[in-house]
Amino acid sequence: MYILGINSVYHESAVCLIKNGEIIFAIEEERLNRCKHGKPANIDNPDELPLESIQAALSFANIQLSDIESIGYSIDPVARYKSVYSDEVKLPDSWATGSGEALFYRQTTNVPLKLYEMGFRGHFHWVAHHTAHAASAYYPSPFNESLILSLDGIGEDNTSGIFIGKDNQLTKIATISYPNSIGFMWEKFSAYLGFSEYDACKVMGMAAYGNAEKFKAQFAEIVKCLPEGQFTIDNHVLEFRGHSFSNLEKLFNLPLRRKSDELRQEHYDIAATLQVVTDDIVMNMAQYYLSVTGSRHLCLAGGVALNCITNQLLYQQCDIDDIYVQPAAHDAGTAIGAALYIWHHMMDHKQRYSMTNAYLGPEYSDLQYEEALSKYDLAWEKSENIYDEVASLIADNNVIAWFQGRMEFGPRALGNRSLLADPRNKAIRDLMNVKVKHREFFRPFAPSVLREYANDWFISRGLPDAAQYMLLAMDVEQDKRDLIPAVTHADGTARVQLVDEKINASYARLINSFHKLTGVPILLNTSLNDSEPIVCSPEDAIKTFLKTRIDYLVLGHYIVKARH
């Protein structure tokens, strides 16, 4: 039996296909249509389906849309519409007008009609946004019971959901209502600091360079942690969903930064305080609901769960046995949750399959590699000893575009669509940021470390599955920081990716070859892209290779040297 999960109501449009309860394919639309986030998040396009992703999933399974038993879509439009509707009046502290919500409702409810027109003949289900997030974290986890926190911008009329998972059932125990939104707070501050609302990752990187005490008093006027895991955010200051920053400018005595403006120390200080405030909110929530439920496990999803600093704090300080974070914690992951919620909670199937890796997208053959290379008139060599050869190139300070196997699902490149370099070379970080990735100097790079050596290089109470996905920060051992400066952030932490030979044999073999050569079981890893979605196809990889200062492109066992 096939079930399809779809997310495209806001952004991060994505599809997940499960077969008899097991995830067999998942992909984000942006990887195929090459439009960041899949599409703009507008009120008039929630019915803009991820058509290329749907077709890719069907092709992978060699089925038609008529073979799908059920489809889940990760929003409840009725619940959202009822919560905000008011004739042509902007609701107090709301994010929308009545007319806008009427349009959004009409467009959203087009979704099942469009799918039936495309040939779907099964059952269609709306799955509430935070329920889909929670399902995406709990059902793929190895736990039979867990507290689940879903934390993002907004779902229907709520910004967070607190759930308990028990065997194959989910129970919602609390929600946080708009405008108390951690996700929207990060979006607003990202824009205030001169980035786009999608650039929370940049602000998180900036935080290590700031003083979290500098603007503590100002943040205290905006955000308050309350008893019983609650918090409030003053939207009269932040003015969510609007374009005004006047109240923030007044509060911080700092004008809105334009993209072309130089970054000042005050900007880093704001980022640092924002990170600490987020830590406090989420820790307050987690500790309260862990105490109430008595759970020994914690699952996280929602865009806020991509914050590896907060995640590590929860893992280190909460009284839990283990933590699990959905690798695609942002809205793309709700496609997974919508499908699994139907299978487990609605259909009452009890057998569960842990999501042991995120390699769920397309893969390509040697013939496809050769066809793509020939199209661009590139010369290549096919190596019989690819791992030792590439390890030697990395040790000689070359930047390698490494393209292997199935594509990763989620925002992190995990060794199949990656740019790799030597973590020992401090200068390589600036080279990657300025000449290859064309991004800010303060953006950190992740260390991919063989699991069996992780405790020798990084400090953590344990090595949970979340660390496979760059979703936990760890302190770098003091005596190792000078050995791997390219992946040690300004605060001495690193966004670690554990690499296990049982999960990604090819990537593990490459790191092992580098280890034998250098004594360091670590590679610098970042996504294979340049101000664009992560590459998906061989042709995408070639285009990025040709327009950047990448030294070598490796497609499977094929090696291409740059012309520069």
Side-chain angles (χ1 to χ4, degrees):
M1 180 188 296
Y2 293 99
I3 297 175
L4 196 66
I6 300 176
N7 169 66
S8 63
V9 67
Y10 300 130
H11 43 70
E12 272 63 65
S13 299
V15 161
C16 170
L17 181 65
I18 68 172
K19 180 180 180 180
N20 298 329
E22 187 172 9
I23 302 168
I24 62 170
F25 187 88
I27 191 168
E28 295 182 55
E29 183 75 355
E30 68 164 21
R31 310 293 164 83
L32 299 172
N33 70 6
R34 311 308 298 157
C35 173
K36 275 195 169 186
H37 314 292
K39 68 179 182 68
N42 297 331
I43 62 172
D44 63 351
N45 70 349
D47 60 339
E48 187 177 320
L49 293 168
L51 298 178
E52 293 189 54
S53 297
I54 292 172
Q55 187 55 54
L58 297 176
S59 297
F60 178 85
N62 194 26
I63 59 175
Q64 304 296 319
L65 199 57
S66 57
D67 296 315
I68 301 292
E69 198 283 337
S70 292
I71 291 179
Y73 191 80
S74 56
I75 194 73
D76 182 345
V78 175
R80 172 167 170 140
Y81 187 52
K82 286 181 177 178
S83 68
V84 298
Y85 182 74
S86 177
D87 289 334
E88 297 301 330
V89 176
K90 187 146 188 350
L91 303 178
D93 277 335
S94 185
W95 64 92
T97 61
S99 60
E101 282 303 301
L103 173 61
F104 184 86
Y105 176 81
R106 288 195 303 272
Q107 297 303 111
T108 306
T109 52
N110 280 336
V111 169
L113 303 177
K114 286 189 171 184
L115 290 167
Y116 286 121
E117 288 174 356
M118 291 165 57
F120 176 55
R121 296 292 178 264
H123 302 285
F124 181 89
H125 302 275
W126 303 110
V127 179
H129 187 77
H130 284 291
T131 299
H133 268 313
S136 78
Y138 175 65
Y139 291 125
S141 80
F143 312 141
N144 289 323
E145 67 78 28
S146 182
L147 173 68
I148 312 151
L149 302 182
S150 170
L151 312 167
D152 67 2
I154 198 163
E156 287 78 24
D157 63 341
N158 43 45
T159 68
S160 304
I162 300 95
F163 298 76
I164 280 289
K166 177 68 174 174
D167 297 327
N168 67 322
Q169 296 292 295
L170 284 180
T171 302
K172 182 167 65 178
I173 57 176
T175 60
I176 306 293
S177 297
Y178 184 90
N180 306 308
S181 171
I182 309 171
F184 279 172
M185 178 170 67
W186 275 79
E187 288 186 8
K188 192 71 177 186
F189 273 103
S190 294
Y192 180 49
L193 294 175
F195 308 111
S196 85
E197 63 182 14
Y198 294 110
D199 284 332
C201 57
K202 295 183 181 182
V203 178
M204 189 168 69
M206 290 175 64
Y209 295 86
N211 175 5
E213 295 295 317
K214 177 73 179 293
F215 291 112
K216 191 174 180 180
Q218 285 85 345
F219 271 91
E221 293 188 32
I222 303 171
V223 183
K224 290 180 172 53
C225 284
L226 303 175
E228 299 184 352
Q230 301 296 301
F231 66 94
T232 60
I233 292 179
D234 189 345
N235 194 28
H236 296 291
V237 175
L238 288 175
E239 300 177 277
F240 291 147
R241 320 316 294 155
H243 299 293
S244 173
F245 295 86
S246 59
N247 289 331
L248 278 175
E249 291 174 319
K250 188 182 303 181
L251 180 63
F252 288 93
N253 193 28
L254 190 68
L256 169 69
R257 176 179 171 262
R258 307 297 176 184
K259 190 175 181 179
S260 58
D261 295 343
E262 289 291 323
L263 282 163
R264 295 161 50 175
Q265 184 57 46
E266 290 94 331
H267 298 128
Y268 295 101
D269 295 338
I270 288 172
T273 315
L274 176 63
Q275 179 63 56
V276 170
V277 166
T278 301
D279 294 342
D280 292 344
I281 292 172
V282 181
M283 179 63 71
N284 180 52
M285 187 185 301
Q287 288 184 326
Y288 173 75
Y289 285 105
L290 284 168
S291 68
V292 167
T293 61
S295 179
R296 302 294 308 170
H297 304 113
L298 180 60
C299 290
L300 301 173
V304 177
L306 293 174
N307 192 310
C308 59
I309 301 294
T310 300
N311 293 350
Q312 179 67 0
L313 189 70
L314 292 171
Y315 180 58
Q316 293 290 110
Q317 296 188 13
C318 287
D319 185 17
I320 53 176
D321 296 331
D322 206 349
I323 190 171
Y324 182 85
V325 186
Q326 165 54 236
H330 58 344
D331 276 5
T334 63
I336 288 178
L340 291 178
Y341 184 78
I342 292 170
W343 177 260
H344 289 296
H345 189 94
M346 298 177 70
M347 292 184 174
D348 201 29
H349 291 287
K350 293 179 170 54
Q351 183 179 4
R352 290 169 50 200
Y353 298 90
S354 295
M355 184 175 165
T356 58
N357 67 79
Y359 307 109
L360 297 169
E363 62 181 329
Y364 299 86
S365 66
D366 283 0
L367 177 60
Q368 289 170 303
Y369 292 150
E370 291 188 13
E371 287 176 347
L373 291 167
S374 298
K375 181 178 178 181
Y376 286 85
D377 193 29
L378 291 171
W380 71 85
E381 296 179 2
K382 189 170 185 180
S383 173
E384 298 300 323
N385 190 19
I386 190 73
Y387 305 106
D388 288 347
E389 190 169 342
V390 173
S392 180
L393 290 171
I394 294 172
D396 286 340
N397 293 318
N398 291 291
V399 175
I400 307 296
W402 180 255
F403 186 109
Q404 306 287 324
R406 296 185 68 177
M407 183 171 192
E408 303 91 337
F409 184 59
R412 310 289 186 232
L414 302 170
N416 280 8
R417 303 290 187 274
S418 291
L419 285 172
L420 306 177
D422 190 339
R424 302 172 302 164
N425 182 356
K426 187 175 182 179
I428 209 80
R429 174 173 167 170
D430 291 338
L431 172 68
M432 295 276 276
N433 270 330
V434 177
K435 295 185 178 180
V436 178
K437 300 281 285 186
H438 301 109
R439 66 182 201 174
E440 299 79 8
F441 80 91
F442 53 78
R443 302 281 299 279
F445 292 108
S448 295
V449 58
L450 295 172
R451 178 183 283 272
E452 57 267 34
Y453 296 101
N455 287 326
D456 298 333
W457 292 79
F458 305 100
I459 301 170
S460 180
R461 61 175 275 207
L463 300 175
D465 286 347
Q468 292 178 190
Y469 309 117
M470 303 181 192
L471 290 172
L472 288 180
M474 298 182 188
D475 289 325
V476 182
E477 288 281 3
Q478 190 69 44
D479 63 342
K480 298 292 198 300
R481 294 179 183 182
D482 290 340
L483 299 179
I484 51 171
V487 293
T488 301
H489 200 30
D491 57 0
T493 65
R495 190 182 66 191
V496 174
Q497 178 202 357
L498 300 181
V499 180
D500 192 319
E501 187 175 8
K502 295 178 182 177
I503 294 172
N504 192 332
S506 178
Y507 194 34
R509 285 183 64 183
L510 176 62
I511 300 173
N512 191 52
S513 291
F514 185 80
H515 181 214
K516 289 178 181 178
L517 188 64
T518 66
V520 176
I522 297 167
L523 289 177
L524 180 155
N525 176 17
T526 188
S527 55
L528 177 45
N529 61 344
D530 174 21
S531 304
E532 61 182 327
I534 300 173
V535 305
C536 179
S537 70
E539 188 166 344
D540 296 336
I542 291 169
K543 288 178 179 178
T544 298
F545 172 63
L546 291 175
K547 70 178 181 178
T548 61
R549 294 286 300 276
I550 299 168
D551 297 302
Y552 289 87
L553 169 64
V554 181
L555 300 172
H557 285 253
Y558 297 86
I559 301 179
V560 185
K561 185 177 181 179
R563 293 167 176 163
H564 59 255

